């Protein structure tokens, strides 16, 4: 899979994409992630990526030309399955969407900034608009990092223990059951006996019950 991320602040993406599971997935060749600085695609002397909005509102708008240039260049090099724009007014992101995106071959993620992007980009070049929640970030970079992380970690081979990604919260619309590790008792607080029993059928049953109880208590909307 290849993910091209278009941004005016590439520095914001450096660390999240270069540590831990993402770093290893890139090293293993499971995913190629290329961050592009939109400013490199400007042609004017001041390398201007934003401009005043028509209509005279406050704030700046990302210009169409450099974004058009870079998307056209990428599209001339390979086919893209989706061109995603991260924005608070996009469709709210969830695990199902992450599962879908992780099955694709090539995607572009355009990070919004300032007041937003010239709307013609959304009308003519973007195929999917995604919000990571009902709050406003200073830019789409952190949202792009969230998308990329959630996509890459479920590519087969990215997580050492294959079963681990499948037992994540949300994969079956249930929250994950609680987990424990050694010591079995700390400060008088004991791990549930069933987990120490060695009876794997019973452990699986307990985990299912816990997942269901936790979901009912904390996120009943997932059961509807
Ligand atoms: N850009 C700013 N806020 C955002 C959000 N909540 N989701 C995605 N992109 C954003």
């Amino acid at each position: 899979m290849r993910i091209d991320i278009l941004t005016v602040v590439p520095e914001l993406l450096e660390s999240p994409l270069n540590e831990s599971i993402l770093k290893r997935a890139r090293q293993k060749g499971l995913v190629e992630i290329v961050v592009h600085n939109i400013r490199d695609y400007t042609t004017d002397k001041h390398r201007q990526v934003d401009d005043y909005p028509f209509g005279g509102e406050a704030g700046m708008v990302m210009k169409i030309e450099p974004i058009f240039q870079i998307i056209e260049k990428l599209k001339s090099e390979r086919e893209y399955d989706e061109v995603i724009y991260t924005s608070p007014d996009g469709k709210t992101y969830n695990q199902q969407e992450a599962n879908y995106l992780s099955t694709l071959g090539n995607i572009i993620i355009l990070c919004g900034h300032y007041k937003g992007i010239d709307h013609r980009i959304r009308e003519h070049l973007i195929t999917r608009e995604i919000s990571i929640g009902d709050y406003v970030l200073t830019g789409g970079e952190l949202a792009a990092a969230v998308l990329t992380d959630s996509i890459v970690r479920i590519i087969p081979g990215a997580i050492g223990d294959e079963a681990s990604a499948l037992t994540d919260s949300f994969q079956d619309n249930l929250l994950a059951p609680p987990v424990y590790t050694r010591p079995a008792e700390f400060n008088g607080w004991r791990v549930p006996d069933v987990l120490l029993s060695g009876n794997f059928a019973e452990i699986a049953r307990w985990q299912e019950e816990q997942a269901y109880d936790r979901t009912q208590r904390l996120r009943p909307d997932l059961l509807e």
Side-chain angles (χ1 to χ4, degrees):
M1 175 176 203
R2 174 171 164 134
I3 304 176
D4 289 276
I5 305 179
L6 321 183
T7 168
V8 288
V9 200
E11 299 80 10
L12 272 175
L13 287 156
E14 250 158 49
S15 146
L17 304 181
N18 287 306
E19 300 297 334
S20 179
I21 289 173
L22 266 71
K23 179 181 178 181
R24 266 178 279 133
R26 294 174 84 173
Q27 285 170 344
K28 285 193 222 166
L30 296 173
V31 63
E32 187 179 355
I33 304 173
V34 186
V35 178
H36 306 265
N37 190 340
I38 294 170
R39 206 174 291 279
D40 293 341
Y41 291 80
T42 53
T43 50
D44 63 307
K45 182 166 90 202
H46 301 292
R47 311 218 309 147
Q48 195 180 345
V49 290
D50 59 338
D51 209 338
Y52 294 99
F54 282 123
E57 277 178 72
M60 299 294 270
V61 174
M62 285 172 76
K63 288 169 69 63
I64 191 166
E65 300 98 318
I67 292 171
F68 180 80
Q69 290 301 332
I70 182 168
I71 290 178
E72 286 301 298
K73 175 179 171 282
L74 289 171
K75 280 184 175 171
S76 74
E77 291 166 353
R78 67 193 64 74
E79 281 201 12
Y80 284 90
D81 301 299
E82 298 281 1
V83 182
I84 298 162
Y85 174 54
T86 56
S87 170
D89 57 7
K91 182 169 168 249
T92 308
Y93 195 57
N94 61 20
Q95 187 63 48
Q96 265 144 16
E97 183 80 357
N99 292 349
Y100 160 68
L101 294 176
S102 80
T103 65
L104 301 179
N106 303 313
I107 62 173
I108 292 173
I109 305 177
L110 169 63
C111 306
H113 225 81
Y114 313 112
K115 204 180 169 58
I117 57 175
D118 187 306
H119 203 72
R120 288 167 289 185
I121 300 166
R122 299 175 74 161
E123 286 168 337
H124 300 288
L125 300 173
I126 298 297
T127 61
R128 239 172 160 80
E129 303 187 325
I130 297 179
S131 161
I132 62 163
D134 288 343
Y135 44 82
V136 180
L137 304 164
T138 44
E141 285 74 16
L142 297 179
V146 166
L147 261 55
T148 305
D149 186 291
S150 61
I151 293 167
V152 172
R153 66 184 294 285
I154 50 177
I155 295 175
I159 297 187
D161 179 0
E162 280 290 322
S164 177
L166 297 176
T167 56
D168 285 339
S169 283
F170 305 113
Q171 275 302 7
D172 45 11
N173 269 346
L174 290 176
L175 301 182
V179 291
Y180 302 85
T181 187
R182 290 182 294 182
E185 183 167 343
F186 173 80
N187 209 18
W189 305 326
R190 271 185 66 72
V191 165
D193 284 333
V194 61
L195 294 178
L196 310 175
S197 69
N199 182 335
F200 292 106
E202 214 168 293
I203 291 172
R205 198 161 40 237
W206 179 85
Q207 286 171 329
E208 258 171 59
E209 272 168 25
Q210 288 288 319
Y212 188 79
D213 289 351
R214 278 170 55 76
T215 309
Q216 201 160 45
R217 205 157 28 87
L218 303 172
R219 289 293 306 276
D221 57 298
L222 293 175
L223 298 173
E224 278 157 19

